């Protein structure tokens, strides 16, 4: 094993949606610590890029297992999804800076697109577990209701933590049932829901276009750049 390289064993594999699976990972030695919002870089021998690809940790640090939730996109993700319970996964150490700091604002706003929910749910879960008393909002966009990853877990977190509000947006389904909203995440609507939007801290995570467009729209609405964190999945 190279320095800061970890070999995990898959303890569980769970279907979240038809093309997203969550892997629970364990190891014989004590697992590395991580901050909610960080990612692991998975290395697949024989696959490019040799340095691996990033996957955000979808569990929270207070939980026993580390989980990664992987969406089937191209060859690399398909190879991960072909793994089964008992197989191993090699990763680098947890890394990344997409997480709230203790001195961030009283309102934390997460904007997630599709599989971009992974680092957001880790932070929301950990903040709720820590009984952090800041207001948490999640605005979560998916094409259809069937694409939503972690809907039940998010409802449960909203039920447990009265400071957490979960708003779901569905962009490509004719009939959208309650409690979901039809259409894209709408920045003016979001800002109206916040007590002090210009001092809130925003966390945007999703595909490159989703992340870039929301960042630009927030900036056009005079949200200071230093109040916006982004994690673009590419
Ligand atoms: C910091 C970070 C954290 C990440 N966390 C996760 C995670 O928790 N779960 C996860 O499944 N992936 C995550 N990703 C994305 C992951 O690293 C890979 O890029 C992804 O699995 C696609 O790799 P691939 O080789 O299978 O597909 P590729 O062959 O790279 O992709 C095929 C095509 O799909 C496009 N594409 C890539 N990703 C997406 C996407 N999300 N939505 C739409 N189109 C896309 C590519 O631009 C390309 O044109 C993360 C990326 C980063 C940078």
């Amino acid at each position: 094993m190279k320095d800061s390289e970890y070999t995990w064993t898959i303890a569980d594999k769970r279907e979240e949606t038809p093309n997203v699976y969550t892997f629970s990972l364990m190891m014989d030695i004590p697992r590395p610590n991580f901050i909610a919002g960080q990612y692991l870089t998975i290395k697949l021998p024989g696959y490019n890029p040799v340095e691996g690809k990033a996957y955000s940790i979808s569990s929270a640090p207070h939980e026993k297992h580390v989980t990664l939730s992987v969406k089937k996109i191209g060859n690399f993700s398909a190879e991960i999804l072909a793994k089964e319970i008992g197989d191993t996964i090699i990763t680098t150490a947890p890394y990344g800076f997409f997480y709230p700091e203790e001195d961030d604002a009283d309102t934390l706003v997460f904007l997630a697109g599709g599989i971009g929910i992974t680092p957001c749910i880790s932070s929301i879960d950990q903040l709720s577990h820590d009984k952090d008393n800041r207001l948490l909002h999640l605005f979560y966009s998916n094409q259809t209701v069937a694409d939503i990853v972690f809907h039940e877990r998010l409802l449960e977190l909203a039920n447990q933590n009265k400071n957490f509000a979960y708003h779901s947006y569905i962009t490509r389904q004719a009939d959208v049932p309650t409690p979901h909203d039809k259409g894209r995440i709408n920045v003016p609507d979001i800002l109206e829901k916040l007590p002090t939007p210009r001092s809130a801290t925003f966390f945007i995570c999703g595909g490159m276009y989703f992340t870039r467009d929301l960042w630009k729209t927030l900036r056009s609405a005079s949200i200071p750049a230093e109040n916006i964190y982004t994690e673009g999945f590419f």
Side-chain angles (χ1 to χ4, degrees):
M1 186 173 85
K2 293 181 197 147
D3 278 352
S4 303
E5 209 170 75
Y6 296 90
T7 301
W8 307 78
T9 301
I10 298 172
D12 190 35
K13 178 181 179 183
R14 189 176 62 245
E15 181 178 340
E16 304 286 358
T17 72
N19 54 12
V20 176
Y21 282 77
T22 292
F23 295 92
S24 292
L25 306 178
M26 50 172 278
M27 57 172 59
D28 295 336
I29 54 172
R31 67 166 167 84
N33 289 330
F34 70 96
I35 301 170
Q38 288 190 311
Y39 60 85
L40 298 174
T41 298
I42 295 184
K43 294 188 172 189
L44 287 180
Y47 278 79
N48 280 324
V50 283
E51 64 273 20
K53 289 202 175 195
Y55 292 88
S56 299
I57 299 171
S58 55
S59 53
H62 73 86
E63 294 180 287
K64 184 175 166 213
H65 283 141
V66 164
T67 66
L68 299 179
S69 303
V70 179
K71 179 175 180 179
K72 187 169 186 181
I73 307 249
N75 291 344
F76 200 92
S77 49
E79 183 62 19
I80 298 171
L81 288 167
K83 290 187 178 286
E84 296 296 344
I85 294 172
D87 288 345
T88 55
I89 285 184
I90 298 169
T91 74
T92 57
Y95 190 73
F97 302 95
F98 184 73
Y99 52 80
E101 303 278 1
E102 273 184 21
D103 59 356
D104 275 337
D106 287 343
T107 305
L108 306 175
V109 183
F110 296 87
L111 307 173
I115 194 63
I117 188 65
T118 47
C120 304
I121 197 167
S122 177
S123 287
I124 292 165
D125 190 323
Q126 187 64 35
L127 290 162
S128 301
H129 178 264
D130 293 344
K131 307 223 177 316
D132 188 294
N133 59 13
R134 285 176 284 189
L135 289 181
L136 309 176
H137 280 273
L138 168 68
F139 297 89
Y140 184 19
S141 175
N142 284 282
Q143 293 187 348
T144 70
V145 171
D147 292 320
I148 303 175
V149 184
F150 305 132
H151 183 58
E152 294 304 323
R153 186 173 157 202
L154 288 165
L155 289 176
E156 204 180 303
L157 283 167
N159 197 29
Q160 287 165 3
N161 180 356
K162 296 300 168 212
N163 289 330
F164 169 46
Y166 165 37
H167 317 268
S168 164
Y169 291 77
I170 300 299
T171 58
R172 289 198 200 166
Q173 186 173 318
D175 296 315
V176 173
T178 49
H180 312 280
D181 281 329
K182 189 170 177 168
R184 288 164 174 261
I185 293 174
N186 179 301
V187 167
D189 279 358
I190 293 179
L191 300 183
E192 248 178 43
K193 289 185 167 67
L194 307 178
T196 51
R198 268 159 211 87
S199 61
T201 308
F202 294 82
F203 297 84
I204 312 173
C205 186
M208 292 309 282
Y209 296 115
F210 175 89
T211 306
R212 185 199 60 192
D213 292 351
L214 279 172
W215 185 87
K216 280 188 180 168
T217 317
L218 287 173
R219 290 291 295 123
S220 311
S222 304
I223 302 300
E226 62 269 24
N227 293 1
I228 311 173
Y229 295 67
T230 59
E231 190 84 289
F233 284 7
F234 54 86

